[in-house]
Amino acid sequence: MNNYIIHPFNNKIETGLRILSVLNATYPRSYDLQSMVYLDYLTVHSGDFDFKMTSLHPSVQNRKGELLVRREMILSSIDLFIEKGLIEKLYTDQGIEFIASDQSTTFLDTLSEEYLLNLQIRSIWVNEYLENLNSKTLKEIMMNFVKKGNNNLDII
């Protein structure tokens, strides 16, 4: 009997695919870890921000708490995808940032599962919705969202 614990949802691979999809859709921009946490949340819960868009995952109570607990999983996922050559780590004047590698598009194009196709649609939506925002503005928007309990942000 093996002692492995299998986490079929929100594991390193699923989380990493979400991060990779967002980085690929927003290429050539790079993001720091905290921005990746925000972008992952926007991708998963896009329906919270745009009533015309359905969320990738079902809406659950207290989902805003994910912003506080997902950081370590996202970092582990990024590290895994860096090892596989799909994400690159950049050292910038602002600190460490992450960007899609040259292989990311080719890799994502080989995947055809419905979840991943829906993920890519939401990643493109995130890119279009937030393309002119810097990290500071993104943080302000997300903190406003958490504090006010809005279900939709008209300011984005």
Side-chain angles (χ1 to χ4, degrees):
M1 187 160 143
N2 90 39
N3 293 328
Y4 294 108
I5 298 173
I6 297 173
H7 299 281
F9 304 106
N10 288 320
N11 59 37
K12 286 183 188 180
I13 295 172
E14 178 189 357
T15 302
L17 284 171
R18 289 196 312 262
I19 297 303
L20 182 63
S21 184
V22 169
L23 288 173
N24 192 61
T26 60
Y27 186 85
R29 286 180 302 215
S30 59
Y31 297 95
D32 63 18
L33 179 59
Q34 190 58 47
S35 294
M36 291 309 313
V37 172
Y38 298 145
L39 295 175
D40 183 55
Y41 185 92
L42 288 168
T43 304
V44 171
H45 300 294
S46 50
D48 288 354
F49 298 89
D50 184 344
F51 289 132
K52 294 176 268 176
M53 177 74 67
T54 57
S55 293
L56 185 62
H57 291 181
S59 297
V60 294
Q61 258 187 330
N62 302 320
R63 63 187 170 276
K64 292 177 187 174
E66 292 176 27
L67 288 167
L68 303 173
V69 299
R70 302 282 297 146
R71 186 178 175 98
E72 289 304 316
M73 176 59 76
I74 289 171
L75 182 57
S76 295
S77 300
I78 289 171
D79 287 342
L80 175 64
F81 278 62
I82 287 172
E83 286 178 28
K84 303 303 177 190
L86 298 169
I87 294 175
E88 295 177 3
K89 185 186 290 189
L90 303 176
Y91 297 93
T92 71
D93 293 339
Q94 290 76 37
I96 297 172
E97 295 185 351
F98 305 97
I99 190 169
S101 76
D102 293 339
Q103 292 82 27
S104 65
T105 300
T106 303
F107 174 75
L108 289 169
D109 285 348
T110 66
L111 306 174
S112 61
E113 290 77 14
E114 184 177 349
Y115 177 84
L116 293 167
L117 298 175
N118 287 326
L119 169 60
Q120 289 179 330
I121 289 168
R122 280 149 189 87
S123 297
I124 292 167
W125 171 84
V126 165
N127 180 48
E128 291 170 355
Y129 228 48
L130 304 175
E131 69 181 331
N132 296 316
L133 297 182
N134 61 32
S135 294
K136 181 180 178 191
T137 306
L138 177 59
K139 179 180 179 179
E140 289 170 3
I141 289 170
M142 295 306 293
M143 291 300 98
N144 182 50
F145 174 70
V146 170
K147 288 177 186 173
K148 291 190 175 188
N150 295 341
N151 287 330
N152 182 277
L153 287 179
D154 296 329
I155 61 174
I156 296 180

